[in-house]
Structure formats: structure tokens, C-alpha cells
Amino acid sequence: MSGSGPIFLPKGFTFSAIAAGMKSSKKPDLALIVAESGATAASLFTKNRIVAAPVEVGRASLAKTKGRVRAVIVNSGNANCATGPSGLRACKLICAELALLLNAKPSEVFPSSTGIIGVSFPAAKITSSLKPLLAGAGASVEHLRQFADAILTTDTRSKLASVPLRSGSAAITGVAKGSGMIHPQLATMLVYLLTDVIATPAELRNSLRKTCDQSFNVISIDGDTSTNDTVLLVASGRSRLELRNVRKEFDEALLDVCQSLSEQSVADGEVAQHVIHVQIEQAKNQAEALQVARTISHSLLVKTAWAGADPNWGRLLAAVGRSGVAVEPGKISVFIGSQAVCRGAAACKFDEQRAHADLSKPECSITVRLGRGKSSLKFLTTDLTQEYVKINADYST
């Protein structure tokens, strides 16, 4: 499943995008989803203690409405984070102005922002664009793609995924943005998941938590957790299909969508050359497997070795050793591709050219066996290139 696959649009949603002048380019940078009245929702947010104004407002609004959402408004180009009371007032003003146009409550408008942190938020650019934004809303796949393009920042491509339910009687479709500052604690990036099943907010929250643990919470590009990370799941109820009657199918479809969006985001990691599938095996439990996987994936020495397709297994072993897990060196084995490069925390004979060739491919697997138990975990990450440093050194200038 990828952004080039078929899109099954859930009923009960319209989409729009417009250029509001939030970016220096004239490309669309303001995007909208309108849901029919009665739509339910659940969301997970960043674990960063510094949070953007829209995260504060969105979290409070969902609590106030008990999981009701009428619209989602997203801007790119400015994160509206570290903008003080004025940023919070601006976010609330935008929600109020859009709610007025929709004959809804301000708390039923869910805001998101992405872009540079600490820059004054130009709310007037958005409020003056709301009427044309709403007038251009439509329910076609093209309208959805316009929404997906408008929320991008350093991404090189939009990210969409879609799965039908019950032979097409309902669907789950997701849109995401994110290619850098991706290291989730609960959610990651900006992700909007839409479905037309009938569901309570509690049912949606239960499904979303389980799904994120198997998708957005097991990826990392650069180890940085954004101040704006949000995953929002909205159900319009238009299909007449009740989630409780298709729970297993719904959860499987939601996981398919979220894993696809996760994979697309990692593959679009800021100028990444290699996608690395880290497999941790024989861990005592899932928690320690995740701890080891994250330590490996955040190691700059490991990631730069991957960028050069260098089979330097010693850096991998060192990362495992400093992960905080009480590993026994004599039980650790490391594989690059299908080839063992280290056994018992010591060198073993292997074909270096073959290992280099494996790491030179667009995707490669790294397996670490801890010899501590029966738990395993898959984690998705990337290398770190010189171009990544260049992009992030110049981001605000």
C-alpha cells in the first residue's frame, strides 16, 4: 500500500486547500477537512513537554466536546509554537471564525500547524482565507490530494493510504506529513485518519492507541520529537456500519493504513538514502526490545555508517551495550541482511563485500538477537546523510 494505490473515500467528508501566504512560495499552505455534523473523534498528541498552541487548543476542545469534531484546519509554514499568549489567541480566533462559517461551536474545530518554531503567527492571513477555502471544498480524490499537498513542509511527496471495509461499504483513509523531527512517543508528525463507520470516541481511542504502538511508535528518522505531533481519527458515521460489529476488520485495516503512512514517512526521511528495517529478537519483553531498537536508530555513528553502506557492526554492538538493557554480551548476535557479522559479541567471519552490497540497497535489514527471551519487535529508521545536515542547518534562513 502506498500513496500511488487506490483511494477509497469515506463518506461524510469534504476537503479543500488554498495559498494563504504562510510560506514564501505561492503554493497552498492552508488545508481543511469538513465532517458532517455528529462526527466523532479521538486523538493522540506529542509527549514533548513544549507543545504548540494548536495542540493545547485541540486537546482542550476534544475534552470539551467529548470527542466531537466538525472541521480540521491545518496550516504549514508556521508551527505556532513558542509564540506565547498571542499564538494561543490566534489559534482560538481561527477556530471561532471557521466555526461561525460552519454554524458550529469553536470547540468543534480541530486546529493543527506545522513549520518553523518561535515565529509570530500571522492569524489574519488565515482568517481572511477561510471563506474561499470553504467555498472550494469538495469530496473528490483530487480534493483530498490537494489537502495532502498543502500540509507538507520539508516532505518531497504527499502520503496517503486507504483500505476498504466490508467490500467497500465503508473505508479508512489516512493522510500524513512528516519527513524530519520524527521520533514519536505517542503519535508522530501530523496524521489524519478518516472513516465512515459509526463509532464512539472511546472505541476510536482504543483502536488508535493499539495501532500507534505498532506503527508510528516504532519508527524514527532523527530522534527528535516534534512539539506539534498529532494523530487524529475521525468517524463520520455515514456508512451505517458500526465499529463494534466489525472490530477485528476495522483494527486490521487501521493498522494497514497507519503502517503504510509510517513507511512512507520514513522512506521520505529528509534526504535519506537508505531505509533500515531493525529487527530485535530474543528480547525479554517488548519494552526492552523497543529500547534497544531506539538506541540503535538514534546513534549518529550507526546512522552515518549506514549512509556510507559501511558494515561497521561494532557501532551496532556498542549501541546495544549502552541501551540500558541488562544484556549479556556472550549471547548477542548481529546480522546485516541474512548474514551473521557478530556472534557472542565478537567478530565472526563474514563477506564484507556482500554486507556492503546489502547496505547499499534502498532498503536493508539489521537483526539483533539478544538471547534473553522470546519477544521480538520491528522498527523502521533511516541513515543520516550530509544533505540532512545542510537542510536543517539552513531551515530558518
Side-chain angles (χ1 to χ4, degrees):
M1 185 193 307
S2 71
S4 60
I7 299 296
F8 306 92
L9 279 179
K11 297 177 285 293
F13 299 97
T14 57
F15 312 91
S16 185
I18 197 172
M22 301 294 288
K23 297 177 180 176
S24 57
S25 69
K26 294 183 180 180
K27 293 181 179 180
D29 49 21
L30 184 63
L32 175 70
I33 301 172
V34 178
E36 292 192 359
S37 297
T40 54
S43 188
L44 298 175
F45 298 96
T46 181
K47 278 295 191 75
N48 195 319
R49 290 184 179 274
I50 305 298
V51 299
V55 171
E56 286 191 50
V57 173
R59 185 156 33 202
S61 292
L62 280 181
K64 185 174 182 178
T65 63
K66 297 182 179 178
R68 299 287 171 174
V69 168
R70 185 78 169 81
V72 179
I73 182 82
V74 189
N75 76 271
S76 57
N78 188 312
N80 195 6
C81 178
T83 48
S86 64
L88 199 59
R89 286 194 300 269
C91 187
K92 291 178 178 179
L93 173 64
I94 291 164
C95 292
E97 292 286 331
L98 180 55
L100 191 63
L101 295 174
L102 292 170
N103 193 27
K105 298 176 181 178
S107 56
E108 292 177 316
V109 176
F110 188 95
S112 291
S113 298
T114 179
I116 192 166
I117 294 171
V119 175
S120 180
F121 192 75
K125 290 184 177 181
I126 294 181
T127 55
S128 64
S129 301
L130 291 178
K131 285 184 178 179
L133 180 68
L134 194 56
S140 70
V141 171
E142 182 56 32
H143 283 94
L144 174 64
R145 292 192 183 279
Q146 290 171 5
F147 173 92
D149 288 339
I151 67 176
L152 305 181
T153 51
T154 58
D155 311 65
T156 65
R157 52 188 177 271
S158 57
K159 301 160 185 70
L160 298 100
S162 190
V163 172
L165 296 169
R166 287 289 169 96
S167 302
S169 63
I172 302 174
T173 293
V175 182
K177 69 80 49 188
S179 63
M181 199 178 277
I182 293 177
H183 167 53
Q185 295 293 333
L186 266 182
T188 180
M189 316 165 291
L190 298 181
V191 181
Y192 307 100
L193 304 163
L194 310 173
T195 182
D196 44 7
V197 302
I198 299 170
T200 67
E203 289 173 329
L204 295 175
R205 192 177 305 110
N206 181 56
S207 292
L208 188 60
R209 285 188 183 279
K210 292 187 298 183
T211 299
C212 283
D213 283 341
Q214 299 176 68
S215 55
F216 302 120
N217 279 352
V218 287
I219 66 171
S220 180
I221 290 175
D222 51 19
D224 277 318
T225 301
S226 169
T227 56
N228 295 55
D229 288 347
T230 300
V231 177
L232 177 69
L233 173 58
V234 184
S236 70
R238 275 288 306 278
S239 71
R240 306 303 178 192
L241 189 65
E242 295 189 25
L243 190 156
R244 63 183 179 180
N245 295 330
V246 290
R247 167 68 69 183
K248 185 174 184 294
E249 183 186 3
F250 181 88
D251 285 351
E252 289 175 352
L254 184 63
L255 181 59
D256 284 346
V257 168
C258 291
Q259 286 183 335
S260 174
L261 294 174
S262 297
E263 290 166 7
Q264 291 177 58
S265 296
V266 172
D268 193 29
E270 286 175 348
V271 293
Q273 295 176 329
H274 306 102
V275 174
I276 308 295
H277 298 259
V278 178
Q279 174 87 13
I280 306 300
E281 297 179 351
Q282 298 177 3
K284 185 173 290 186
N285 51 53
Q286 287 283 296
E288 73 172 31
L290 182 60
Q291 191 171 336
V292 171
R294 283 180 170 166
T295 305
I296 291 171
S297 300
H298 298 164
S299 167
L300 298 182
L301 288 176
V302 170
K303 293 172 85 68
T304 50
W306 288 338
D310 181 4
N312 190 333
W313 58 266
R315 294 182 178 182
L316 289 163
L317 186 65
V320 174
R322 67 176 175 82
S323 66
V325 173
V327 295
E328 296 180 47
K331 294 183 178 181
I332 300 172
S333 297
V334 179
F335 296 75
I336 296 176
S338 60
Q339 183 179 201
V341 296
C342 163
R343 293 187 186 278
C348 65
K349 187 176 180 179
F350 70 97
D351 186 336
E352 290 192 25
Q353 289 302 314
R354 177 182 159 194
H356 174 75
D358 284 337
L359 286 167
S360 297
K361 296 174 183 177
E363 297 192 31
C364 180
S365 65
I366 300 292
T367 303
V368 177
R369 293 177 182 166
L370 301 179
R372 287 172 53 80
K374 297 181 179 180
S375 290
S376 62
L377 178 135
K378 294 180 180 179
F379 197 94
L380 208 57
T381 188
T382 66
D383 59 0
L384 192 152
T385 63
Q386 289 181 338
E387 193 62 23
Y388 174 92
V389 176
K390 182 178 178 182
I391 284 177
N392 286 284
D394 298 338
Y395 186 67
S396 67
T397 54

